[in-house]
Amino acid sequence: MQKIYKPELLAPAGDLEKLKIAIIYGADAVFIGGKKFSLRAKASNFELEDIKEAVIFAHENNSRVHITVNVYPHSEDLEGLDEYLLELDKINVDAIIVSSPYIVKRARELGCKFEIHISTQQSTANYEAMTFWENLGANRIVLARELSINDIEKLKGETTLPLEVFIHGGLCSSFSGRCTLSNNMTLRDANRGGCAHSCRWFYDIYEDNKRLNNDKESFRLGSKDLCAATMIDKLIDLKVDSFKIEGRMKSLHYIACVVQAYRKLIDDYLDGKLKDSSYYLNMLFRAENRATTKGFLNKDITHEDGLFEIESEQPSQDFLGIVIDYDNQEKLAKIQQRNHFKTGEKISVMQPFLEDVNMSVLEIYDEYMNKIEIANHAMDILYIKTEFPIKKYGIIRRR
Amino acid sequence: MKDLIITINSLNNIDVYKDADSFLIGNEKFAVRLAKSFTSNEICEAVKHAHSLNKKIYINVNKIFLENEIRDLKDYMVFLKSINVDAIFFSDFAVFTIAKDLEILDRLVYYSETQMVNYMDANTLIDLKIKGVIISKEVTLDNIYTFAAKVKKGSLGVNIYGYYHMFYSKRKLIRNYFLNYQKDYSKYISNKKITIKEKTRQELYPIFQDENGTNIFNDEILLGIDYINSFIDKGIKMFIIDGIFEEEDYMQSILEYFVLALKNPNSKYSTLIKNKYPFKKYGAAFYFKKIGITS
């Protein structure tokens, strides 16, 4: 029987709570970093025990866990690699994401059962390079982020290897793995998890030591963030195997919003019920209000895809709390608070696989059930009276 | 046997740089960061001329290729095989697969500039029957020595002189900057006199944009002349002297210093070079800099 095509939605997670949120909100797979051999050093990477728990939770929920083993290790970093790979195999991770040819080869020599995915750090962009990796033992290619839809279509026509495509999140300005700005400017190794994002800084430009920009202008290298929401239909038509969301350092709220939006988008398209793109884009922009681009997916990159004078970070205060339990009898939601709110505040509640529900905060109680008017201590445990039941992992947001 | 490899910006350089063993050249359709782009006819002529002088021609094919460029890449590699080039320096593994089909794996040298940072990756590629690897520029002297101790087969190489590369993008960033401010950009493309400076720092980083995208280099020139003999003693064979941004007379002078250094291992030629060219900024790249994940 022919397998029914359904692309994988692959989400990032910086810790166990975010991993659970990603899966609950609809991710088919989650990628996480261990304490060793993983990029994104600032993400709160997982100890082996956490990875074990992550794998159990994911498998119980029909999801998969991919482990980033994607650094370019220097010679002195290789110690402990065999033991680490064997441990990952023992706890049944589904895949590792790798950049180093040696790590691919070694994992196969050790007989590890997990899949090996070639990281975008290798900027694989053609069939012949894929063949090299396949012969070395790879099971999937995470494509270079410099490919257009047409390029991906050509590759899908040539290879039987599953292809993974980035659809949302931050973009390197350089080919991944080919940038050492951070190494040179800050002594932080971009290819070992220390990237200082020097490409997002402001520069002056000169010709023969004569400055070409005025004080109001800056030369920029950085890119707007990728948002491929309006191109998902085309990517699904190409039968791309996995859609990857970037951002292991992002917040729980971000993960929930972005996963939910793409889950709905993919499912709606496959069910023939696609809504206007503004519906999905509004969901995404609740997560983070950053300037976005379709990147190379759409066309050549121009100035419109660069950061220039745009301030890219605009933190939202909308995320008020996450529901950790609900008492149906008392109509009380037990929540962990994030941003401040007060009685009477108009809120909306986001829940996995449900439309958002609007309501008002009727009453707030502290963890000792003392009635309060204002919730203004992040991470406090509170109870709020609501007009409707709310599921565990529901997210309460300002309307 | 040491192999002193130099980039050239004219075929005449083959005669001028008499002390070089090999010349690293390329065509901009298949390579980036070239001192000059040579046509197929020029490459053919270079091979004939170099071979007549018992010198070697190495071809830089260090671009990252899209699928629609592969057919031309295959034709180019068939051509390179037919004219008997001595080596092909590559960074995209497409080149490996094509070379395997053409049965010229033993002419390949891996040269990605940023990714060859451990000896096991070197051994992995050399075990696949390629000729050798060039160690990346962001490694310490100790790590270079570790490579030398642990890589027993194939040829190891290092960049020993030149501006060191730190950014390779498909984006046309100089064009995009001028477009953003609605200014004419034509004279700043393929222009090797452009630099950028981060607003809170002093360093002027050379930046170069052509049809392939944008490359940025450190403001310091890697000057490894004082270490070349110890590298040779430990078994490193290939030494790249990269003259991108430099003129012939200057490169000839630098090459002569390397020849002196090879003859007189105990002298410190970096000081002589620094004194002779006080306006140039030289450094030892990451030989003594330990990089980590936090500042």
Side-chain angles (χ1 to χ4, degrees):
Chain A
M1 199 172 82
Q2 198 176 0
K3 195 180 166 192
I4 296 169
Y5 164 74
K6 193 180 180 203
E8 172 187 86
L9 179 60
L10 175 57
D15 60 36
L16 208 46
E17 185 183 31
K18 290 173 193 168
L19 175 133
K20 289 178 180 176
I21 285 289
I23 291 170
I24 295 291
Y25 275 83
D28 301 300
V30 180
F31 66 100
I32 63 178
K35 293 283 183 191
K36 293 176 178 176
F37 306 105
S38 174
L39 292 176
R40 299 287 174 272
K42 282 187 178 172
S44 43
N45 286 333
F46 290 62
E47 298 282 3
L48 274 171
E49 276 305 304
D50 298 329
I51 296 176
K52 196 173 179 180
E53 190 178 339
V55 170
I56 291 168
F57 182 86
H59 290 177
E60 282 173 356
N61 288 277
N62 297 317
S63 187
R64 291 159 46 94
V65 176
H66 304 178
I67 309 293
T68 54
V69 189
N70 57 348
V71 292
Y72 284 104
H74 285 224
S75 295
E76 64 271 25
D77 302 326
L78 289 167
E79 197 181 330
L81 176 69
D82 285 7
E83 294 80 359
Y84 185 61
L85 293 174
L86 290 168
E87 283 292 339
L88 292 178
D89 198 42
K90 198 168 141 190
I91 58 182
N92 283 328
V93 305
D94 298 281
I96 63 169
I97 307 166
V98 183
S99 307
S100 153
Y102 170 65
I103 297 179
V104 177
K105 183 184 133 195
R106 191 66 190 143
R108 285 294 167 252
E109 284 171 351
L110 291 169
C112 298
K113 299 179 296 296
F114 48 63
E115 291 180 10
I116 299 174
H117 300 173
I118 301 305
S119 168
T120 195
Q121 285 285 101
Q122 273 291 351
S123 292
T124 308
N126 60 71
Y127 171 68
E128 282 70 15
M130 288 179 194
T131 302
F132 168 83
W133 290 112
E134 187 173 18
N135 290 340
L136 206 58
N139 305 94
R140 180 190 287 193
I141 305 293
V142 187
L143 290 175
R145 288 177 279 194
E146 281 74 13
L147 301 188
S148 68
I149 289 272
N150 289 341
D151 295 327
I152 295 167
E153 184 175 14
K154 285 191 192 97
L155 293 176
K156 276 303 290 180
E158 296 219 36
T159 186
T160 53
L161 272 181
L163 300 183
E164 185 174 307
V165 171
F166 275 87
I167 56 166
H168 199 87
L171 284 175
C172 289
S173 178
S174 74
F175 282 107
S176 291
R178 311 297 171 121
C179 175
T180 54
L181 285 177
S182 175
N183 306 45
N184 283 277
M185 296 172 78
T186 69
L187 292 183
R188 286 166 53 175
D189 193 339
N191 288 332
R192 280 189 291 179
C195 180
H197 302 287
S198 309
C199 68
R200 298 178 86 90
W201 296 352
F202 292 80
Y203 295 80
D204 293 323
I205 181 167
Y206 296 80
E207 182 187 32
D208 267 341
N209 296 326
K210 182 189 161 202
R211 190 173 157 200
L212 300 175
N213 61 307
N214 61 39
D215 287 341
K216 291 179 186 165
E217 301 167 350
S218 289
F219 185 83
R220 303 298 302 273
L221 305 168
S223 171
K224 292 176 183 173
D225 284 6
L226 176 65
C227 175
T230 54
M231 306 190 85
I232 289 293
D233 52 349
K234 294 185 182 70
L235 290 165
I236 290 176
D237 290 347
L238 295 181
K239 295 195 165 35
V240 166
D241 303 275
S242 177
F243 294 139
K244 186 172 212 161
I245 298 163
E246 183 274 346
R248 278 190 286 136
M249 290 162 67
K250 297 289 189 186
S251 71
L252 180 153
H253 179 229
Y254 176 93
I255 304 288
C257 288
V258 176
V259 168
Q260 187 177 54
Y262 281 103
R263 178 77 279 152
K264 283 189 77 68
L265 182 46
I266 292 166
D267 291 350
D268 287 355
Y269 185 66
L270 289 172
D271 292 344
K273 295 174 183 170
L274 195 64
K275 300 179 181 63
D276 186 82
S277 62
S278 60
Y279 172 80
Y280 309 101
L281 291 172
N282 284 338
M283 292 171 77
L284 288 167
F285 292 135
R286 287 297 299 268
E288 197 172 61
N289 192 10
R290 283 165 63 128
T292 60
T293 167
K294 291 172 191 165
F296 283 95
L297 284 172
N298 197 32
K299 58 178 172 47
D300 185 23
I301 293 283
T302 72
H303 61 292
E304 291 172 353
D305 305 288
L307 279 175
F308 291 100
E309 52 280 290
I310 295 162
E311 289 299 331
S312 58
E313 304 285 348
Q314 295 177 40
S316 157
Q317 304 284 305
D318 287 353
F319 178 26
L320 304 181
I322 181 163
V323 175
I324 49 183
D325 202 0
Y326 191 83
D327 183 335
N328 273 309
Q329 210 164 7
E330 300 294 331
K331 292 189 174 174
L332 277 178
K334 183 180 182 182
I335 69 164
Q336 187 184 60
Q337 192 211 326
R338 295 301 159 95
N339 282 297
H340 72 94
F341 63 95
K342 56 184 188 294
T343 305
E345 184 119 13
K346 292 184 190 321
I347 59 172
S348 75
V349 180
M350 179 171 78
Q351 300 174 86
F353 296 94
L354 292 174
E355 293 292 329
D356 285 7
V357 180
N358 292 331
M359 60 174 78
S360 298
V361 177
L362 301 178
E363 292 165 8
I364 311 172
Y365 299 90
D366 67 16
E367 66 178 317
Y368 307 107
M369 296 309 290
N370 299 309
K371 196 169 180 181
I372 56 175
E373 291 299 314
I374 298 172
N376 54 6
H377 294 107
M379 306 309 283
D380 271 5
I381 299 296
L382 302 173
Y383 296 87
I384 59 171
K385 194 144 209 158
T386 65
E387 298 159 59
F388 307 99
I390 307 176
K391 282 184 176 179
K392 187 179 178 183
Y393 297 114
I395 285 178
I396 303 190
R397 301 192 290 191
R398 208 181 309 281
R399 225 188 300 167
Chain B
M1 187 71 178
K2 60 90 186 146
D3 187 358
L4 212 51
I5 306 162
I6 192 164
T7 62
I8 58 175
N9 53 29
S10 151
L11 291 185
N12 292 333
N13 291 163
I14 294 174
D15 291 317
V16 175
Y17 300 157
K18 288 186 172 57
D19 296 307
D21 300 298
S22 312
F23 303 94
L24 181 61
I25 65 175
N27 179 281
E28 63 191 352
K29 194 169 173 186
F30 308 100
V32 290
R33 305 184 287 282
L34 294 170
K36 183 188 182 302
S37 176
F38 291 94
T39 64
S40 292
N41 284 340
E42 287 171 327
I43 290 172
C44 198
E45 194 183 327
V47 170
K48 282 180 190 162
H49 187 48
H51 285 180
S52 75
L53 299 170
N54 282 325
K55 310 272 184 187
K56 288 168 281 182
I57 293 292
Y58 298 160
I59 306 299
N60 204 344
V61 185
N62 64 342
K63 191 175 154 179
I64 294 172
F65 296 96
L66 298 180
E67 186 59 24
N68 62 12
E69 297 169 310
I70 293 294
R71 179 171 292 187
D72 287 347
L73 173 64
K74 284 180 178 171
D75 291 345
Y76 185 58
M77 287 183 60
V78 167
F79 160 71
L80 296 178
K81 181 184 178 184
S82 74
I83 63 169
N84 203 22
V85 301
D86 299 281
I88 296 170
F89 283 42
F90 77 104
S91 71
D92 188 317
F93 287 106
V95 175
F96 178 95
T97 302
I98 296 166
K100 192 176 174 188
D101 290 344
L102 294 173
E103 298 180 338
I104 52 170
L105 278 179
D106 58 352
R107 293 189 214 178
L108 291 190
V109 174
Y110 183 72
Y111 184 39
S112 96
E113 301 195 50
T114 58
Q115 292 162 313
M116 183 45 65
V117 290
N118 72 72
Y119 66 90
M120 291 307 289
D121 276 333
N123 281 331
T124 301
L125 297 184
I126 288 169
D127 283 345
L128 294 172
K129 311 290 185 206
I130 71 168
K131 174 186 169 78
V133 306
I134 305 297
I135 301 168
S136 296
K137 295 168 188 171
E138 72 268 25
V139 306
T140 60
L141 205 60
D142 284 346
N143 194 2
I144 294 173
Y145 292 153
T146 304
F147 268 83
K150 301 280 190 180
V151 177
K152 297 299 181 193
K153 292 181 279 181
S155 296
L156 276 180
V158 292
N159 288 85
I160 198 78
Y161 175 91
Y163 283 93
Y164 45 105
H165 176 250
M166 54 182 193
F167 180 91
Y168 168 26
S169 176
K170 190 166 183 281
R171 295 160 194 261
K172 293 173 180 165
L173 293 169
I174 292 177
R175 179 201 66 180
N176 292 352
Y177 163 77
F178 287 103
L179 274 178
N180 189 60
Y181 294 109
Q182 291 151 12
K183 295 176 184 173
D184 178 39
Y185 58 84
S186 52
K187 71 173 182 167
Y188 304 114
I189 307 305
S190 297
N191 179 337
K192 289 184 176 168
K193 294 176 178 172
I194 308 295
T195 53
I196 57 169
K197 183 181 85 64
E198 195 276 321
K199 284 184 182 284
T200 64
R201 289 170 164 78
Q202 297 307 313
E203 295 84 4
L204 285 166
Y205 301 123
I207 181 168
F208 178 76
Q209 186 213 299
D210 60 13
E211 275 307 300
N212 288 321
T214 307
N215 284 277
I216 303 173
F217 301 79
N218 199 296
D219 64 324
E220 277 188 0
I221 299 168
L222 164 63
L223 183 59
I225 193 166
D226 294 337
Y227 305 94
I228 190 166
N229 288 297
S230 81
F231 289 153
I232 291 170
D233 289 346
K234 291 180 189 304
I236 291 171
K237 292 174 184 160
M238 295 181 282
F239 300 95
I240 299 175
I241 298 173
D242 186 357
I244 188 172
F245 305 119
E246 306 289 16
E247 300 295 327
E248 180 185 285
D249 289 350
Y250 171 79
M251 290 308 294
Q252 168 67 358
S253 167
I254 291 295
L255 187 58
E256 283 168 4
Y257 277 114
F258 271 93
V259 173
L260 287 172
L262 290 166
K263 286 179 182 161
N264 305 294
N266 296 325
S267 299
K268 200 164 178 184
Y269 286 93
S270 65
T271 308
L272 293 178
I273 292 174
K274 285 173 187 170
N275 288 340
K276 185 170 180 184
Y277 301 104
F279 301 111
K280 296 264 188 192
K281 190 175 174 186
Y282 300 104
F286 289 94
Y287 286 1
F288 304 104
K289 289 179 190 166
K290 188 77 179 165
I291 45 173
I293 56 172
T294 54
S295 317

